[in-house]
């Protein structure tokens, strides 16, 4: 069971139910300046793709009331460079590392999973099934796979799960869409996902018309509803709740809704000590 | 804290003093631990609004202008704010005693020359804030410092008096000619650069000025160090929302995060055309 001090997700014991959400922890080095990462449940990396990506031209993260709209185009150095330069540094921090990946095709997913399966120090692979700009025209990440239908999600999760060695689970990161989340989550679990991460930014638009994903407290009630629906429909599935977690009350609300753990994202961009503080408060409570 | 620990800290502070001067507001801000780690060219990120009603989540960066002891309470930071949008207005109008959440010092500072060479420092308006403490450090190293300061008008110019204390020669340019020469800062560059004999040019201000500085330095065979101001929503290197196109090692195109890989970058490394 998820308690204040520890958590269990997809068979992994985590030191805390508080995780760093994908794309909000930099390379890990920056965050480690403020507090040790080792006290957190896991560090989810920025989303990595097979090939390097420069990101969107003038990639931006723009403020909206109680939220941030992300339209960065997932800048990342590509898997090779990530494995050589970023992963070792994270592993050295003595924190569980969940590598977030986005893929362009089933073949790409299979190749990526095979390589990650051999990388030392990876605790889980989080497959981004709904990158914010995915399928939207004009998005820098429009070539990335985005699952709108449950069978599409299942196909890609299955591909990754088959290529990963036993003991290395795939976490399916799905969109915070209360009407579809149960069907997508069920399909992912049937296809081999060890956990469901709910969820990615809400599809949104920047003032200049470019697509992005909305995160932060503005989406928290939506994320909570999604977690509750998935947990009610699929009580045996491990759910990680992501969406606007900023205070101990928020963590408790997600855990009470049935999440095993929570990902802290946007709040870190506002206060880089948030995840460490939340983990400490929860640990204290279960003493 | 060891004297070499320059890692940023996230702290609670408060507004100690606030003084309007023309179009700029000079703030003194208590920020325990940040001043101790300061080097010129670094910034501090401020959260906007009181925590209970906070809905603006992007942070606002401000150059650290000076660091001063405040009786028994550690070091205070001097910031120079031009009130214009929601965040800068809130900070500029924050009454003395307003609690603040601050993170800093952020980013890579200006790199100082090993030898006591001649240096030209160029800045516009509030962006002159990091240039003054830089001028002092350069003087301490025996560098001959020339300043070129610009602003749209006198109300937005940082004190020319302060400038004269820290430099051998000062040129002031204002858009409306209210002080110094009338015109654009960039137009005065070639002449001032030539007469200064500078081997290094430091600059802070709007991107077109920095581009002009990088180009002029290149023409004169000088190095340039430019302090970029790119909207930096987290300012701590976490979000990748502040990318600047740069030339990587081996000349390959790359991008850097303005907030942690900058704000100070070598002028010849920025891909200006792609910015
Ligand atoms: C390294 C650095 C140092 C800075 N130093 C100073 C300083 O010393 N004094 C000062 O007055 N301002 C400084 N700025 C700009 C400052 O951070 C704010 O962006 C500016 O005050 C406008 O914010 P606002 O909320 O008032 O305006 P709004 O228009 O409401 O801002 C909306 C959003 O756009 C961003 N934004 C708008 N203009 C700029 C800009 N020119 N640069 C960066 N982001 C921008 C804001 O951060 C915010 O997220 C600095 C910025 C950076 C990156
Ligand atoms: S502002 Fe977030 S990485 Fe630079």
């Amino acid at each position: 069971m998820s308690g204040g001090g520890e958590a269990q997700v997809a068979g992994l014991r985590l030191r805390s139910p508080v995780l760093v959400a994908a794309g909000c922890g930099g390379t890990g080095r920056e965050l480690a300046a403020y507090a040790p990462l080792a006290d957190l449940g896991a560090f989810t990396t920025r989303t990595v793709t097979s090939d390097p990506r420069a990101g969107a031209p003038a990639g931006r993260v723009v403020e909206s009331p109680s939220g941030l709209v992300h339209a960065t185009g997932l800048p990342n150095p590509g898997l090779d460079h990530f494995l050589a330069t970023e992963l070792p540094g994270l592993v050295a921090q003595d924190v569980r590392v969940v590598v977030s990946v986005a893929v362009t095709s089933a073949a790409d997913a299979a190749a990526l999973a095979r390589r990650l399966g051999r990388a030392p120090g990876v605790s889980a692979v989080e497959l981004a099934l709904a990158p914010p700009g995915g399928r939207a025209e004009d998005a820098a990440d429009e070539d990335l796979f985005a699952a709108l239908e449950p069978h599409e999600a299942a196909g890609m999760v299955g591909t990754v799960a088959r290529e990963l060695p036993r003991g290395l689970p795939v976490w399916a990161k799905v969109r915070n869409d209360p009407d579809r989340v149960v069907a997508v989550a069920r399909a992912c679990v049937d296809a081999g996902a060890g956990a469901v991460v709910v969820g990615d930014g809400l599809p949104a638009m920047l003032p200049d018309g470019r697509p992005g994903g909305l995160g932060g407290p503005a989406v928290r009630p939506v994320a909570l509803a999604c977690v509750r629906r998935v947990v009610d429909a699929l009580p045996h599935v491990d759910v990680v709740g992501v969406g606007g977690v900023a205070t101990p009350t928020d963590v408790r609300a997600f855990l009470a809704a049935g999440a095993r753990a929570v990902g802290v994202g946007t709040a870190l961009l506002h206060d880089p000590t948030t995840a460490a503080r939340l983990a400490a408060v929860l640990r204290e409570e279960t003493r | 804290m060891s004297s070499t620990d320059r890692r940023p800290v996230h702290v609670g502070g408060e507004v100690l003093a606030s003084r309007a001067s023309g179009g700029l507001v000079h703030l003194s801000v208590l920020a325990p631990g940040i001043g101790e780690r300061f080097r010129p060219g670094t910034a501090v990120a401020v959260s906007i609004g009181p925590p209970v009603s906070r809905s603006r989540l992007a942070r606002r960066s401000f150059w650290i202008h000076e660091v001063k002891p405040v009786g028994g309470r550690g070091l205070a930071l001097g910031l120079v704010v031009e009130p214009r949008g929601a965040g800068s207005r809130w900070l500029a109008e924050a009454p003395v005693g307003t609690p603040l959440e601050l993170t800093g010092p952020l980013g890579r500072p200006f790199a100082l020359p090993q030898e006591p060479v001649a240096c030209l420092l160029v800045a516009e308006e509030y962006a002159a804030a990091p240039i003054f403490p830089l001028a002092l450090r350069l003087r301490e190293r025996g560098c001959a410092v020339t300043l070129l300061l610009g602003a749209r008008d006198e109300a937005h110019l940082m004190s020319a008096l302060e400038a004269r204390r820290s430099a051998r020669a000062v040129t002031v340019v204002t858009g409306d000619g209210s002080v110094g020469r009338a015109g654009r800062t960039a137009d005065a560059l070639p002449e001032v650069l030539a007469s200064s004999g500078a081997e290094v040019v430091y600059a802070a201000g709007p991107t077109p000025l920095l581009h002009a500085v990088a180009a002029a330095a290149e023409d004169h065979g000088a190095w340039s160090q430019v302090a970029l101001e790119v909207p930096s929503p987290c300012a701590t290197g976490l979000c990748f929302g502040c990318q600047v196109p740069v030339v990587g090692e081996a000349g390959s195109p790359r991008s850097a995060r303005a907030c942690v890989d900058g704000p100070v970058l070598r002028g010849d490394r920025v891909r200006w055309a792609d910015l």
Side-chain angles (χ1 to χ4, degrees):
Chain A
M1 231 349 261
S2 304
E6 287 190 351
Q8 184 127 6
V9 176
L12 295 176
R13 275 190 57 174
L14 310 179
R15 276 179 210 150
S16 164
V18 178
L19 322 183
V20 172
C24 295
T27 64
R29 214 172 339 120
E30 302 83 15
L31 206 53
Y34 301 93
L37 303 181
D39 295 338
L40 304 174
F43 181 94
T44 315
T45 66
R46 59 169 151 164
T47 301
V48 180
T49 50
S50 292
D51 297 323
R53 270 169 193 261
R60 287 289 173 260
V61 174
V62 172
E63 196 171 70
S64 76
S66 293
L68 292 173
V69 182
H70 298 245
T72 59
L74 302 181
N76 79 88
L79 186 64
D80 282 333
H81 199 265
F82 167 80
L83 292 177
T85 61
E86 282 182 32
L87 182 61
L90 277 169
V91 173
Q93 302 272 346
D94 189 28
V95 62
R96 279 201 186 277
V97 180
V98 178
V99 179
S100 167
V101 298
V103 299
T104 54
S105 66
D108 181 40
L112 217 128
R114 271 196 296 276
R115 311 253 316 284
L116 274 171
R118 290 197 296 268
V122 178
S123 287
V125 174
E126 181 178 286
L127 177 61
L129 289 167
R135 288 216 179 163
E137 281 174 35
D138 304 338
D141 43 1
E142 68 175 314
D143 59 322
L144 291 177
F145 169 79
L148 299 187
E149 300 299 331
H151 72 269
E152 296 174 320
M156 207 54 91
V157 168
T159 301
V160 172
R162 270 193 298 280
E163 298 294 342
L164 292 179
R166 184 181 285 279
L168 182 54
V170 50
W171 296 6
K173 185 161 192 187
V174 302
R175 192 165 274 166
N176 271 329
D177 175 348
D179 288 336
R180 312 190 75 170
V181 72
V182 171
V184 174
R186 182 181 285 124
C188 290
V189 172
D190 289 348
V196 176
V197 183
V198 183
D200 238 318
L202 288 188
M205 194 178 91
L206 294 183
D208 68 5
R210 281 185 292 160
L214 174 67
V219 313
R220 188 192 303 138
V222 182
L224 262 177
C226 290
V227 167
R228 169 48 65 74
R229 288 184 184 194
V230 173
V231 170
D232 283 350
L234 309 165
H236 302 296
V237 171
D238 289 351
V239 174
V240 178
V242 183
V245 174
T247 67
T249 311
D250 303 337
V251 181
R252 287 183 215 112
F254 275 93
L255 296 181
R260 296 282 169 148
V262 298
V264 182
T266 300
L268 282 170
L269 308 185
H270 188 73
D271 171 354
T273 66
T274 310
R277 273 193 297 104
L278 295 179
V281 170
L282 274 112
R283 210 166 25 249
E284 218 31 62
E285 281 178 354
T286 50
R287 275 267 161 86
Chain B
M1 184 192 90
S2 93
S3 61
T4 53
D5 187 0
R6 300 283 191 179
R7 294 184 303 173
V9 291
H10 183 83
V11 297
E14 72 177 70
V15 177
L16 294 176
S18 175
R19 174 177 59 84
S21 162
L24 304 174
V25 175
H26 291 251
L27 288 181
S28 171
V29 163
L30 188 69
I34 296 181
E36 288 81 348
R37 293 166 161 85
F38 166 72
R39 285 173 292 174
T42 55
V44 63
V46 181
S47 302
I48 299 305
V52 283
S53 58
R54 186 171 297 152
S55 90
R56 293 185 180 276
L57 301 183
R59 304 195 80 202
R60 307 297 194 269
S61 296
F62 297 89
W63 300 114
I64 302 174
H65 173 45
E66 58 184 4
V67 167
K68 266 194 193 156
V70 274
R73 301 182 72 184
L75 298 175
L77 307 180
L79 310 180
V80 184
V81 180
E82 185 203 331
R84 47 199 195 281
S88 52
R89 282 220 177 88
W90 179 80
L91 187 60
E93 290 165 8
V96 167
T98 301
L100 296 175
E101 272 172 61
L102 307 139
T103 315
L106 297 169
R108 288 180 205 258
F110 290 111
L112 304 176
Q114 301 295 328
E115 306 290 325
V117 297
C119 300
L120 171 63
L121 280 53
V122 183
E124 276 184 358
E125 306 201 344
Y126 65 77
I131 286 292
F132 292 112
L134 172 67
L136 292 176
R137 301 251 167 139
L138 290 171
R139 280 226 330 210
E140 283 163 17
R141 291 177 164 237
C143 298
V145 172
T146 302
L147 277 178
L148 170 58
L149 295 178
R152 73 196 88 159
D153 54 26
E154 184 172 17
H156 291 89
L157 186 74
M158 283 187 65
S159 162
L161 208 70
E162 189 178 356
R164 305 216 189 277
R165 277 204 298 270
S166 45
R168 191 180 57 173
V170 182
T171 305
V172 171
V173 181
T174 50
D176 65 354
S178 47
V179 248
R181 305 181 194 176
R184 297 188 324 142
T185 317
D187 295 338
L189 255 178
E191 180 202 320
V192 178
L193 185 50
S195 64
S196 69
E199 292 180 36
V200 188
V201 188
Y202 296 91
T207 306
L209 174 66
L210 303 183
H211 187 181
V213 165
E218 192 110 25
D219 286 347
H220 282 74
W223 292 105
S224 63
Q225 293 255 320
V226 298
L228 285 159
E229 235 180 75
V230 175
S232 299
C234 78
T236 48
L238 303 179
C239 75
F240 293 88
C242 61
Q243 308 254 10
V244 180
V246 295
V247 183
E249 274 106 62
S252 61
R254 242 183 13 96
S255 58
R257 284 165 294 177
C259 68
V260 285
D261 304 319
V264 179
L265 292 170
R266 250 171 56 186
D268 60 336
R269 288 200 50 215
V270 178
R271 289 188 281 133
W272 297 100
D274 299 329
L275 193 66

